[in-house]
Amino acid sequence: MSVINIQEKFKLFSDHWSPKKIGELNGQQILVAKLKGEFVFHKHDNEDELFMVIKGTLNIELRNKTITLNQGEFYVVPKGVEHKPIAKEEVHVLLFEPLSIKHTGDIIADITVETYESI
């Protein structure tokens, strides 16, 4: 294992809504992603999902409220809770998720990624 510079990892890609794997630990994967626009409402029946904002502001729309995350803040979406990330401007996020998680949960969409690229 070597030291990983998150900012350097963000410089390696430009696509949105396509998380990149930068590490693994204890059955979890550490991902970075650039987000812009709206994702789809989806849920993960068996996994919690952590969103940490590295740059920008992210809204996570739930069915009954909206969570707003600013740089340096994180939120854990509990398993089974429908959510839709929205980024009005480009947002950089760090994600912690179990290795078994599916990108768009129970929904298949045009933006669904089957396998995360490691960078």
Side-chain angles (χ1 to χ4, degrees), residues 8-48:
E8 291 300 316
K9 294 295 185 181
F10 278 112
K11 293 177 183 177
L12 299 177
F13 66 98
S14 60
D15 50 332
H16 297 117
W17 305 110
S18 183
K20 311 297 183 203
K21 187 184 300 188
I22 62 171
E24 288 184 17
L25 73 156
N26 302 318
Q28 298 280 316
Q29 55 194 338
I30 304 164
L31 307 166
V32 290
K34 293 180 179 179
L35 313 179
K36 188 173 182 182
E38 292 192 19
F39 204 58
V40 295
F41 259 112
H42 67 288
K43 62 184 170 67
H44 306 283
D45 288 328
N46 301 306
E47 302 96 358
D48 298 327

Side-chain angles (χ1 to χ4, degrees), residues 34-71:
K34 293 180 179 179
L35 313 179
K36 188 173 182 182
E38 292 192 19
F39 204 58
V40 295
F41 259 112
H42 67 288
K43 62 184 170 67
H44 306 283
D45 288 328
N46 301 306
E47 302 96 358
D48 298 327
E49 184 175 23
L50 182 143
F51 289 83
M52 180 172 186
V53 175
I54 303 300
K55 176 184 169 188
T57 299
L58 178 66
N59 290 316
I60 300 176
E61 191 173 315
L62 307 176
R63 290 296 184 185
N64 61 344
K65 65 181 175 179
T66 299
I67 306 297
T68 299
L69 299 174
N70 296 299
Q71 184 171 313

Side-chain angles (χ1 to χ4, degrees), residues 1 4-6 9-10 12-13 15 18-25 27-34 93-101 103 113-119:
M1 188 68 199
I4 295 172
N5 183 305
I6 293 172
K9 294 295 185 181
F10 278 112
L12 299 177
F13 66 98
D15 50 332
S18 183
K20 311 297 183 203
K21 187 184 300 188
I22 62 171
E24 288 184 17
L25 73 156
Q28 298 280 316
Q29 55 194 338
I30 304 164
L31 307 166
V32 290
K34 293 180 179 179
V93 295
L94 184 70
L95 305 163
F96 283 88
E97 305 175 340
L99 290 167
S100 62
I101 203 165
H103 184 226
V113 175
E114 294 294 328
T115 306
Y116 298 134
E117 174 186 0
S118 292
I119 58 171

